[in-house]
């Protein structure tokens, strides 16, 4: 039958009318059904602490009206009689519409999931790493959708996948330095050796993590300048993360004069233990008379500060030093000062002694606070 006569036949217009009616009714029904499901999920999301229902509602709200209309049209075409060649096209149409809509839902779900991770106040995350992971997941979703549509249309995708692999290797070799920093950034985001706000020391550099980027990490040094370091180079070094330190071990020494009686030397350890134990946020470990130095009897003290804050540690150490000075004065024990004894014989010794006796008296202060030898190197 010629095409003009086919259009003038009553059966064609009846089929068109039926198809159009089913398309409109189907679109309204599908749109209403999606709205009802979204409303039910929205009510559930108000009572649930999980983000799953909220993400599901947002995914449904991203349903394309054009694809929904195409789906309703396919339903209408399924009802009417079509030529055999139209049946194959209709079968491919079902798959294409569903694949596109599922890809759009998954893409929207990934976007919302990444956004919820970045907006979570309970945990600070690296925004660059989170964004990169989201982009990679979305690329995989749309690539799988495109390949599945091509495979459904009868296209041989084996050669296409192989060519994409070869092209990917060539691009990777061309930008391997950049890719090493990108993957280092991903490693920082996944493994989390440090996060924004952490105080770290690596090599001769120390400071607070200020920004973790795609290629570099920026650190604010204690002296005020910004240190920029590539992510790959940063991960190649040993990093000391002081923000994650639960407690600080402190070692310091002091010395008393050799004239100190043994009974007072025995009392000094207990005296230091009582001083440290009486100060909050500390845990005493030991205090020992460890060695005979050139000019002093050396004591070594070890204790723990139950806080990672460097200022708290310095306040505690200052208080310990002052109390040790006070208690040693009370028991009449003097701190040792660097000195040298010289013995002279004969007439020179007598003349020197007489010359010294003619000098006016001088004030001798035997107490001197020694700076503690912190095994942390004085770094906070």
């Amino acid at each position: 039958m010629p095409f003009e006569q086919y259009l003038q036949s009553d059966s064609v217009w009846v089929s068109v009318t039926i198809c159009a009616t089913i398309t409109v009714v189907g679109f309204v029904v599908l749109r209403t059904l999606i709205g009802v499901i979204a409303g039910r999920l929205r009510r559930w999301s108000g009572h649930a602490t999980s983000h799953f229902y909220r993400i599901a509602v947002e995914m449904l709200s991203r349903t394309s009206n054009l694809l929904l209309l195409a789906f309703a049209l396919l339903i209408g075409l399924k009802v009417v009689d079509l030529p055999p060649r139209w049946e194959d096209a209709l079968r491919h149409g079902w798959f294409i519409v569903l694949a596109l809509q599922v890809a759009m839902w998954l893409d929207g779900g990934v976007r919302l999931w990444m956004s919820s991770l970045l907006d979570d106040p309970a945990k600070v995350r690296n925004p660059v790493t989170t964004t990169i992971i989201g982009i990679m997941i979305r690329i995989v979703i749309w690539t799988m959708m495109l390949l599945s549509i091509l495979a459904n249309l009868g296209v041989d995708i084996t050669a296409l996948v192989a060519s994409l692999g070869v092209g990917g290797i060539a691009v990777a070799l061309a930008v391997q330095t950049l890719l090493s920093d990108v993957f280092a950034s991903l490693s920082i985001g996944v493994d989390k050796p440090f996060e924004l706000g952490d105080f770290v020391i690596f090599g001769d550099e120390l400071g607070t993590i200020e920004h973790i980027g795609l290629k570099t990490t920026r650190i604010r040094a204690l002296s005020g300048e910004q240190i920029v370091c590539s992510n790959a180079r940063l991960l190649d070094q040993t990093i000391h993360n002081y923000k994650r330190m639960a407690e600080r071990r402190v070692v310091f020494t002091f010395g008393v004069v050799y004239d100190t009686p043994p009974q007072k030397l025995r009392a000094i350890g207990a005296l230091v233990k009582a001083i440290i134990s009486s100060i909050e946020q500390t845990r005493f470990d030991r205090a020992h008379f460890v060695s005979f130095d050139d000019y002093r009897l050396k004591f070594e003290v070890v204790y723990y500060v139950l806080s990672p804050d460097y200022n708290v540690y310095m306040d505690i150490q200052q208080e310990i030093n002052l109390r040790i000075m006070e208690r040693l004065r009370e028991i009449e024990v003097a701190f040792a000062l660097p000195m040298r004894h010289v013995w002279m014989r004969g007439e020179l010794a007598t003349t020197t002694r007489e010359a010294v006796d003619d000098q006016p008296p001088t004030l001798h202060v035997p107490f001197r606070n020694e700076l503690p030898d912190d095994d942390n190197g004085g770094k906070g």
Side-chain angles (χ1 to χ4, degrees), residues 162-176 179:
S163 62
L164 289 176
V166 174
I169 294 174
V171 172
L173 291 175
V175 294
Q176 56 181 340
L179 287 178

Side-chain angles (χ1 to χ4, degrees), residues 210-231:
E210 196 172 63
H211 174 75
I212 303 173
L214 186 64
K215 180 174 174 55
T216 62
T217 294
R218 300 167 196 171
I219 301 170
R220 183 65 60 182
L222 291 179
S223 53
E225 77 272 15
Q226 188 180 70
I227 303 171
V228 181
C229 182
S230 67
N231 294 327

Side-chain angles (χ1 to χ4, degrees), residues 76-127:
L77 292 175
K78 192 71 175 176
V79 175
V80 299
D81 294 331
L82 295 174
R85 60 176 183 171
W86 283 70
E87 293 292 339
D88 293 336
L90 189 63
R91 179 172 54 82
H92 295 312
W94 285 102
F95 186 85
I96 293 173
V97 170
L98 287 175
L100 287 174
Q101 186 57 70
V102 170
M104 292 179 64
W105 280 337
L106 294 177
D107 182 88
V110 171
R111 288 173 180 266
L112 293 170
W113 179 49
M114 293 300 165
S115 178
S116 65
L117 292 179
L118 293 176
D119 295 338
D120 188 1
K123 192 170 185 180
V124 179
R125 289 180 171 85
N126 180 6

Side-chain angles (χ1 to χ4, degrees), residues 201-267:
I201 297 177
F202 62 99
D204 296 330
E205 308 294 344
L206 68 161
T208 303
I209 301 296
E210 196 172 63
H211 174 75
I212 303 173
L214 186 64
K215 180 174 174 55
T216 62
T217 294
R218 300 167 196 171
I219 301 170
R220 183 65 60 182
L222 291 179
S223 53
E225 77 272 15
Q226 188 180 70
I227 303 171
V228 181
C229 182
S230 67
N231 294 327
R233 176 177 174 271
L234 185 60
L235 290 184
D236 284 340
Q237 304 185 54
T238 301
I239 301 174
H240 301 266
N241 192 333
Y242 277 83
K243 188 175 180 180
R244 298 182 182 177
M245 179 173 56
E247 57 185 20
R248 183 187 297 267
R249 184 177 184 269
V250 182
V251 180
F252 72 96
T253 62
F254 65 92
V256 297
V257 297
Y258 268 86
D259 296 338
T260 305
Q263 62 271 21
K264 291 186 178 181
L265 292 176
R266 294 180 182 275

Side-chain angles (χ1 to χ4, degrees), residues 28-43:
V28 173
V29 171
L30 290 174
R31 186 79 265 181
T32 303
L33 181 63
I34 291 175
V36 171
I37 296 174
R40 182 65 60 87
L41 292 175
R42 189 175 291 108
R43 286 193 297 271

